[in-house]
Amino acid sequence: MNIYEMLALIAVGYVLKVVVRDERPFRWLNILSTRVLLTLFVFGNVASKDLRYLISVKPVFIYVILIIALCLGLSYLYARFFVRDERWAGALMVLSVYPNTAAMGFPIASLFLDDITPAILYSTTNSLIVLPLASFIAAHYSSGKASVRESLLKALKFPPTAANLLALALVLAGIRLPGWFLEPVKAVGWWSIPLLLIYFGSIIDLREFRPRHLLEVGLFRSVIPFLFVILTLRSAGNTYYAVLVESAMPPAIMANVLLAHYRLKAGEGIAVTVILSILILFFFIGLRFFTG
């Protein structure tokens, strides 16, 4: 799916919201796309990997860990000392740690790379970590900062999170499920992507846009990772461009789905994501133009 198809599906969702003017169909769309199809997609993709695959992406994996730690750590420190609204603090951390490495990352990576395999490896590795992590953060802050145990149980009740962890456990245990099972699971689950884009468009409401929130999310989600990669990985060839693009992507639609699922400042998060996505898109198009 390219950038134009992604934008078109978001536009379809927004137009449908204006035309239908009934939230119930979109609530069912959310349930179908996030709790059913996305669960299948996550499980099929993760369970189809093996230990050799995980070992082969070691350089990319290291940067995934570093970027996640950097974004989460700095956004947490900032939220603790400068954000009074605990619910926005949680939303800020979710948005900062969960980038759109696939639907937006792959098309932008293709501007710089003929072979985007390193970007795919980054995205896959990133997804293994951030979905359960972001789910836990959202669950924790939506419950009034309940105990770790309560927040963990709440996070595990989100089906894609449980599917992710189950599939990862199978991979680490060396259990390979047959292709005749996994391929249909992935094929059906893939439809979560266009449906999530349509759902995202249906819940866009820029009336809740806050310039300060844009600056906060933009700093921790895109600016700091971008500068970190430039300073530490510049001579790594294709890996450099893949990590540079993927690490600086705006928040994922799934991050906003999590905020909506846990009722955690989703309106503000979506407004920031829309504006930041547009800015990042034009930034990388301009960077590609000037770098040749």
Side-chain angles (χ1 to χ4, degrees), residues 108-143:
I108 291 180
S110 67
L111 295 175
F112 300 87
L113 303 170
D114 293 328
D115 178 11
I116 68 167
T117 299
I120 295 173
L121 299 180
Y122 186 104
S123 178
T124 303
T125 308
N126 184 77
S127 297
L128 290 173
I129 302 170
V130 297
L131 180 56
L133 178 61
S135 298
F136 173 77
I137 294 170
H140 187 59
Y141 279 84
S142 68
S143 58

Side-chain angles (χ1 to χ4, degrees), residues 161-214:
T161 302
N164 191 353
L165 295 176
L166 174 60
L168 181 59
L170 292 175
V171 172
L172 294 176
I175 299 174
R176 294 297 303 274
L177 299 177
W180 59 261
F181 172 76
L182 289 177
E183 291 306 318
V185 168
K186 290 192 290 184
V188 173
W190 179 87
W191 287 97
S192 63
I193 295 177
L195 292 182
L196 281 172
L197 290 169
I198 293 173
Y199 174 70
F200 179 72
S202 73
I203 56 178
I204 288 177
D205 187 352
L206 296 182
R207 289 177 298 179
E208 297 190 56
F209 172 70
R210 304 288 187 274
R212 175 175 174 172
H213 290 173
L214 175 64

Side-chain angles (χ1 to χ4, degrees), residues 71-72 74-75 78 83 88-100 209-226 247-252 255-256 259 265 268-277 279-280:
C71 295
L72 180 58
L74 292 179
S75 63
Y78 174 85
V83 177
W88 172 247
L92 173 61
M93 282 184 272
V94 171
L95 295 170
S96 297
V97 80
Y98 203 148
N100 186 349
F209 172 70
R210 304 288 187 274
R212 175 175 174 172
H213 290 173
L214 175 64
L215 293 174
E216 291 170 338
V217 175
L219 176 64
F220 297 114
R221 170 77 302 279
S222 297
V223 175
I224 290 176
F226 182 83
S247 66
M249 284 297 96
N256 289 279
L259 297 184
K265 297 291 183 177
E268 290 93 326
I270 292 164
V272 165
T273 297
V274 171
I275 300 299
L276 187 58
S277 296
L279 293 175
I280 292 295

Side-chain angles (χ1 to χ4, degrees), residues 59-72 122 228 232:
V60 174
F61 180 77
I62 290 173
Y63 264 84
V64 171
I65 297 294
L66 291 175
I67 295 298
I68 290 173
L70 185 68
C71 295
L72 180 58
Y122 186 104
F228 177 72
T232 61

Side-chain angles (χ1 to χ4, degrees), residues 237-250:
N238 285 352
T239 299
Y240 165 70
Y241 284 106
V243 174
L244 183 68
V245 169
E246 296 288 5
S247 66
M249 284 297 96

